[in-house]
Amino acid sequence: MPSTRHAIVPALLALLAAACARPAARETVTIRVHEGTALGFDLSPDGRVVFDLLGQLWEVPGNGGAARPLTDAVRDTAEDLDPSWSPDGRRIVFRGERHGRTGLWLLEPGAGAPRQLTQLENPDGFDGQAAWSPDGKAIAFTRLVPPDSGHKAWRSHLAWIDPAGGDAHDFPVADTLPANLHEPAWAPDGRRLAAVAGTMREREGGRLWLIERATGRATPLTAPGIAALAPAFAPDGRRLAFFAPDSADRIQLWVVAIDSPGATPARLTGQADVTPTRARWTRDGRWLVYGADGRLWKLAAAGGAPAEIPFSAELSLPRARRALPPPRFPEPGTPQHVRSFMGFALSPDARSVAMLALGRLWVMPVDGAPRGVADVPLSAHHLAWSPDGGTLVWSAGRWLQEDLYATEVATGATRRITALPGREDRPMYSPDGKHLAFMHTPVEDSTILRVAEVRSLPVSQIGRTRALTAEPGTAAGWSPSSDGLLYLTGGLRPEEPSKAEVLLLSGKRRAVSGTPDSPLFPEWSAGALVYVRHARLWRAGFDGTGAMAPAQPLGADAAIYPSTARDGTVLFISEGGLRLRGPDGRERRLGWPLSYTPPTAAPLLIRNAHIIDGSGSPATPPRDLLIEGGRIGRIAAAGTLPAGTTRVLDAAGGYLIPGLMDLHAHEYRPELMPGFAYFGVTTIRDQGAPIGPLVAYADAVAAGKLAGPRVDYGGFQLYSDWGYDVEDGQGVEPEADPDHVARTVALAEAYGSGHIKTRTFRRWDINARFIAEAHRRGMRVTGHCSHLLPLVAAGMDAKEHAGFCEPRSDGAIYDDMIQLYRAAGIGVVPTIAYSALAVRLNREPGALEADTALAPFLMPRSDFKWMLALDSAGRRLYEGFAAAARQATVKLARAGVTIGTGTDIWQIPTGVHLELEEMVAAGLSPLEALHAATGGAARILGAEGELGTIEPGKWADLVLLDADPSADIRNTRRIRAVLEAGQLVDREGTAAGAGGR
């Protein structure tokens, strides 16, 4: 026997090694399309057409046909857009991002890789809308410059570059010409250019001007009331084509004779969706080529019916096949680690850890077990120890009305120590124990650093405190002598770098130089500033005067939420839970010291219910449904399942649907959670909130301490287009820190995240790394920009929003994107209600207050201020977003793309119901909309094996309605009962508790 066992072990190891070495399964995503979204194109002198499709350049004969790719977006991790032929037809200039570099590029088809002409100094900017001079010796383009320290608004101007090489130069412009010029077009003589004067916001257009190249002198080409775009001169220079809105506010193609002053422009098109990127004249001046309704068209300049230039493009993307596990939701009856805390703090002597979790204050010796010291509100957060280790101070209360409380560690006795108007939080004792500093927010968007004498606590009057500063920032800690605090400001934008000062109790300020770039969660102790930057601990020596020393990393592992002791010991969260790093660099792993067991529901029999199961099928005849262990056990004809001793819920012919899902939530406050359960939303997917509190809320819900939905969370929003960190976002800079991606995704996994979210609009090379790292760890990825071919090849799983948010698809989408989403299995969460609600509240400010069921859960009016403050242009913008989202939702659903409900409306818990109404108004049937909120949403989550449909074996997340939602989708609001894993939600108590907050 022993010899047999010893022989088996190596064999098993060999099999395991072979399995690990086996290459990942592959698949090929293939599409063949005849339409393109937001086509940018140009016409060569000999009539060939180059166009951009899904971020690649393609060429097709002038009379149409099969297109051939000129660039490879996947190979080059690129997005290539808006091509323009040189006058000799041999070169193409285009706007693109390739291998992380962004600007204008020059391609000579068949002659090798593109050559970069310009590189953006600020990646938020834009170099594009390129136009060749008639002699081919200059390329004019638009340069859009972001706000900086000298300008608070975006600015666009005209620039030019020699295609042979060299730096870009600005065109001279007369002082009398309006600011913000864009979309240059050369006159045939090469001495003048036409350009649009006006903001580039959402391509609103503006007046056309003719500008002399040498002097900058300008004369108007169109009347002030015409909002023109993309001018193009006829070969004879006597006519000008451009795009502008018609009487129905739809963009159309127009022509005006510029050699006849006062001539009225003639409208040539009447199509639904004309693409205002570029129009091109044929060499003889008789025809115009343009894009509309996802296709290319040719139209006589004198007018008439357009003729299509048909094309077909075939695209195949080989990639690794996704095989991801379902998200990990806490199992009722099974012990779970508490994966987060509303606050935790290391004691001054580094011997104990205090934690806020599950509505309790806990204290744990670093060598012992945690002890519950006192019950606290679930909103309790921001812990601080007194210097003697005898008292813990924390903040709790309603949003923007929090006060400070002090708990004695030995006895658990708790008292309120501040009661000022507004919020008090982030307390800090001075080292001598005589003062308590805290942040005071008397009203929203106004924060003051205050100090109170400990002997004078409690304080309820502002006059009994001292204000050190009202500048927004972060107090990092007290000076060793207790005479002031280190205060940091800025650091979230390039034009506002981090600054630090020591604010003395005397009222004086001591400047500090050498402040680290964008420090997160800073703590000052033991002669150093300890902070987090790019998911890693750093230490910068600082004695309270002069300059900080250059920062050095503390280890290479992922880190967040540091807390320091007097001797410099650091407590933080990393993979595996809490860690303690001593002054000598040695680390101890404390793990996840707290646990809970989710409650298991008692058996329940639901009798006589029509079931709409979430698959898209219609309601069944009356059925009985038995729930055991929180799951659906049996479904049978009404009256056939015996009750025995099981509790019975008589549905009395009501309608049973699966629990609804909101796949785009942002949970910033625990008091928002109960409203979801009350309104039948039993699962949410959080798309970005401070990860510590967010996961603490999710734990509290799972433990039965807080009413609310089960939570699938990403926590962090990952940015590849800025380099700054915030509590709910990580800005990745791979050139400066190649391991940041891996550390950030490791932290998300440590917290139990089911997915990550990429919230970016460039640097597709980094986005592809996000996807690869998340998939390696078993997490899904969703993103704003998801159709980019490098991301599809990397395996993007889902897309947030339709109709707005990513520039390529802010309007109508066509077959290229629709086929790509379907073939690649990318689920879409349209969030129509986000834009629609903004428009509605702007028009009807009291609409939400009129909803009596919502009233107990309604947040302050200030939470909706951006919606209420929209001007007429902003309202039109969001009306357009909503209309485009409705159209896209129907197109995608009809094509078989998986659709899920999501809202992005964090202020109210009824957003899913609004989204269902919007989907039906868009053209989906009520059953199709319900499928999006249940079965479709579960599929996007990856939880279709556990949630989303009513069938045996799945979790009993159910909503009992008094009326048929397939007859009227608004009946989803007529809720009689809600169950989560078989537990009946106390709706009456939830509403009463919400109203009493």
Side-chain angles (χ1 to χ4, degrees):
M1 270 307 270
S3 61
T4 303
R5 182 170 61 249
H6 293 161
I8 289 173
V9 171
L12 290 176
L13 292 175
L15 287 173
L16 181 61
C20 292
R22 188 181 301 131
R26 305 287 292 176
E27 65 182 7
T28 300
V29 176
T30 301
I31 60 173
R32 184 178 177 87
V33 300
H34 306 274
E35 294 180 345
T37 300
L39 289 175
F41 82 97
D42 198 12
L43 191 65
S44 72
D46 60 1
R48 289 169 294 147
V49 177
V50 61
F51 62 94
D52 61 57
L53 179 81
L54 292 172
Q56 283 189 174
L57 301 187
W58 304 71
E59 184 182 315
V60 68
N63 58 355
R68 68 181 184 95
L70 299 179
T71 59
D72 188 327
V74 174
R75 179 196 63 205
D76 298 337
T77 321
E79 183 184 28
D80 302 333
L81 302 169
D82 196 19
S84 177
W85 283 109
S86 62
D88 60 9
R90 298 171 56 187
R91 294 166 294 171
I92 299 169
V93 65
F94 63 95
R95 170 172 64 90
E97 179 194 307
R98 306 178 63 78
H99 299 302
R101 296 188 61 80
T102 305
L104 292 178
W105 299 76
L106 192 66
L107 171 70
E108 187 173 346
R115 173 169 59 89
Q116 190 169 16
L117 295 178
T118 70
Q119 170 62 34
L120 297 177
E121 293 182 9
N122 185 324
D124 287 329
F126 169 93
D127 283 355
Q129 301 173 345
W132 291 84
S133 63
D135 61 8
K137 295 181 179 180
I139 298 171
F141 63 95
T142 300
R143 174 158 282 176
L144 182 64
V145 182
D148 55 28
S149 56
H151 300 84
K152 295 184 178 180
W154 289 79
R155 296 161 290 131
S156 63
H157 64 272
L158 304 185
W160 69 276
I161 192 167
D162 185 340
D167 296 331
H169 308 275
D170 291 347
F171 273 104
V173 174
D175 293 339
T176 56
L177 193 63
N180 289 321
L181 296 173
H182 54 100
E183 301 194 272
W186 292 89
D189 60 16
R191 296 184 291 105
R192 298 168 299 167
L193 296 96
V196 178
T199 175
M200 289 181 66
R201 177 189 176 191
E202 300 305 324
R203 298 185 66 82
E204 289 180 352
R207 195 176 188 185
L208 294 181
W209 292 79
L210 188 63
I211 305 167
E212 293 185 8
R213 178 182 180 183
T215 65
R217 185 181 306 159
T219 55
L221 286 172
T222 56
I226 297 177
L229 287 162
F233 284 97
D236 60 10
R238 299 170 58 187
R239 293 164 295 165
L240 191 73
F242 61 90
F243 299 97
D246 61 13
S247 58
D249 204 31
R250 297 187 309 181
I251 295 291
Q252 303 295 346
L253 180 62
W254 304 72
V255 169
V256 65
I258 57 176
D259 62 347
S260 301
T264 301
R267 179 171 61 84
L268 299 185
T269 60
Q271 288 158 282
D273 182 34
V274 174
T275 306
T277 51
R278 180 172 290 138
R280 279 293 178 259
W281 298 81
T282 56
R283 294 185 70 176
D284 58 11
R286 296 176 56 198
W287 303 87
L288 280 158
V289 177
Y290 65 100
D293 302 328
R295 299 172 182 247
L296 297 171
W297 303 85
K298 187 175 181 180
L299 174 70
E308 184 182 350
I309 303 175
F311 69 85
S312 63
E314 184 170 316
L315 181 70
S316 292
L317 300 178
R319 66 179 188 176
R321 180 174 294 144
R322 293 168 292 183
L324 300 172
R328 297 162 291 187
F329 294 118
E331 183 91 13
T334 303
Q336 308 286 324
H337 289 304
V338 170
R339 287 183 177 267
S340 190
F341 313 95
M342 291 297 291
F344 67 95
L346 183 62
S347 62
D349 60 9
R351 294 181 179 179
S352 297
V353 177
M355 298 166 283
L356 290 168
L358 305 179
R360 298 211 80 190
L361 171 61
W362 309 79
V363 172
M364 179 186 74
V366 295
D367 294 312
R371 170 178 66 91
V373 172
D375 291 331
V376 298
L378 286 166
S379 62
H381 60 288
H382 286 146
L383 272 174
W385 289 85
S386 62
D388 62 6
T391 303
L392 283 159
V393 177
W394 41 275
S395 176
R398 292 181 61 188
W399 182 254
L400 288 178
Q401 297 181 32
E402 296 96 323
D403 296 317
L404 295 181
Y405 295 80
T407 298
E408 301 304 317
V409 174
T411 66
T414 298
R415 63 190 182 113
R416 185 166 66 178
I417 59 174
T418 68
L420 303 180
R423 166 195 291 160
E424 301 92 65
D425 65 359
R426 287 181 276 172
M428 291 177 292
Y429 277 100
S430 60
D432 61 11
K434 294 181 179 180
H435 293 91
L436 183 71
F438 57 92
M439 305 303 293
H440 177 215
T441 305
V443 294
E444 194 170 6
D445 299 327
S446 174
T447 302
I448 301 167
L449 175 62
R450 293 192 180 277
V451 174
E453 293 186 3
V454 171
R455 65 182 182 181
S456 68
L457 298 176
V459 296
S460 58
Q461 297 176 357
I462 292 174
R464 297 180 65 185
T465 67
R466 186 182 312 174
L468 294 189
T469 184
E471 185 178 4
T474 302
W478 283 88
S479 65
S481 58
S482 298
D483 64 345
L485 292 107
L486 179 64
Y487 197 72
L488 293 102
T489 58
L492 290 182
R493 286 186 292 271
E495 65 270 20
E496 295 181 11
S498 298
K499 296 187 298 183
E501 292 180 295
V502 175
L503 307 178
L504 300 172
L505 296 182
S506 65
K508 295 181 180 180
R509 294 174 176 244
R510 185 183 300 151
V512 177
S513 60
T515 310
D517 180 31
S518 188
L520 191 61
F521 313 119
E523 297 249 324
W524 183 25
S525 69
L529 183 74
V530 173
Y531 61 93
V532 168
R533 173 77 166 132
H534 288 351
R536 187 181 190 183
L537 282 177
W538 294 79
R539 182 183 187 276
F542 181 55
D543 63 3
T545 62
M548 288 190 189
Q552 300 295 323
L554 297 179
D557 291 347
I560 195 171
Y561 295 125
S563 176
T564 57
R566 278 191 296 259
D567 66 356
T569 300
V570 185
L571 176 73
F572 62 99
I573 288 179
S574 185
E575 290 185 89
L578 293 173
R579 294 195 193 182
L580 204 62
R581 182 183 178 88
D584 59 1
R586 289 187 293 181
E587 288 189 3
R588 298 177 57 184
R589 299 190 177 217
L590 307 182
W592 301 110
L594 300 177
S595 64
Y596 66 91
T597 300
T600 302
L604 176 68
L605 177 62
I606 301 176
R607 283 202 183 281
N608 194 27
H610 296 279
I611 295 176
I612 298 177
D613 65 8
S615 68
S617 299
T620 67
R623 292 282 188 267
D624 289 352
L625 184 148
L626 178 64
I627 300 169
E628 296 175 307
R631 294 181 181 270
I632 299 168
R634 295 175 60 193
I635 301 174
T640 63
L641 292 182
T645 58
T646 302
R647 295 177 303 152
V648 175
L649 173 62
D650 186 0
Y655 290 79
L656 201 62
I657 64 173
L660 303 174
M661 301 188 191
D662 187 341
L663 298 190
H664 197 118
H666 293 278
E667 291 315 305
Y668 300 119
R669 314 174 190 172
E671 61 262 41
L672 291 166
M673 299 289 275
F676 285 100
Y678 180 89
F679 286 104
V681 180
T682 57
T683 300
I684 64 171
R685 183 177 66 159
D686 188 277
Q687 296 291 37
I691 193 165
L694 168 66
V695 180
Y697 304 158
D699 283 345
V701 170
K705 303 291 185 180
L706 174 66
R710 68 179 76 240
V711 185
D712 176 78
Y713 46 82
F716 301 117
Q717 301 188 67
L718 301 185
Y719 295 84
S720 60
D721 47 6
W722 70 334
Y724 303 96
D725 301 334
V726 290
E727 193 173 0
D728 59 351
Q730 295 277 305
V732 177
E733 296 177 295
E735 289 83 2
D737 190 344
D739 297 323
H740 185 192
V741 170
R743 285 196 306 272
T744 299
V745 178
L747 276 181
E749 184 187 28
Y751 275 110
S753 297
H755 73 282
I756 64 170
K757 173 186 175 184
T758 68
R759 194 186 186 281
T760 53
F761 302 96
R762 58 176 178 267
R763 288 308 301 263
W764 314 125
D765 55 330
I766 308 174
N767 274 254
R769 290 178 57 190
F770 287 154
I771 295 169
E773 184 64 20
H775 283 179
R776 188 179 72 83
R777 292 177 175 268
M779 290 182 283
R780 286 163 177 77
V781 184
T782 187
H784 284 178
C785 292
S786 61
H787 68 273
L788 285 307
L789 298 184
L791 307 189
V792 176
M796 181 68 83
D797 299 288
K799 170 186 165 42
E800 305 304 307
H801 310 298
F804 85 102
C805 199
E806 58 180 273
R808 185 75 169 170
S809 60
D810 278 357
I813 62 171
Y814 290 97
D815 199 40
D816 56 340
M817 285 197 181
I818 293 168
Q819 281 203 45
L820 190 67
Y821 289 152
R822 181 181 60 196
I826 296 173
V828 177
V829 182
T831 66
I832 312 169
Y834 177 81
S835 300
L837 180 63
V839 174
R840 181 184 176 193
L841 286 187
N842 192 259
R843 290 174 170 164
E844 307 171 45
L848 294 179
E849 285 84 354
D851 186 340
T852 56
L854 178 61
F857 305 94
L858 194 58
M859 291 294 107
R861 176 167 285 266
S862 60
D863 286 348
F864 304 90
K865 60 186 177 183
W866 77 265
M867 300 180 183
L868 298 169
L870 288 176
D871 58 15
S872 58
R875 188 165 58 245
R876 287 196 307 274
L877 180 66
Y878 278 89
E879 286 172 344
F881 287 160
R886 293 184 191 104
Q887 294 171 9
T889 299
V890 174
K891 281 186 174 182
L892 292 163
R894 295 287 181 263
V897 175
T898 301
I899 301 294
T901 48
T903 68
D904 205 8
I905 305 171
W906 63 268
Q907 305 96 326
I908 58 174
T910 53
V912 172
H913 298 278
L914 299 178
E915 186 74 357
L916 287 169
E917 292 177 27
E918 288 291 342
M919 286 183 168
V920 172
L924 298 188
S925 71
L927 286 173
E928 288 173 322
L930 278 172
H931 173 64
T934 55
R939 184 175 179 183
I940 292 174
L941 274 180
E944 65 269 31
E946 301 276 2
L947 299 169
T949 55
I950 300 176
E951 53 187 303
K954 292 194 174 181
W955 289 115
D957 286 10
L958 304 168
V959 182
L960 179 59
L961 305 174
D962 283 329
D964 184 1
S966 65
D968 186 340
I969 196 63
R970 292 172 296 181
N971 287 338
T972 59
R973 291 282 302 265
R974 297 182 62 180
I975 298 172
R976 190 190 312 173
V978 178
L979 294 91
E980 292 183 357
Q983 294 275 13
L984 275 167
V985 173
D986 179 8
R987 296 183 75 239
E988 185 177 342
T990 297
R997 283 200 306 267

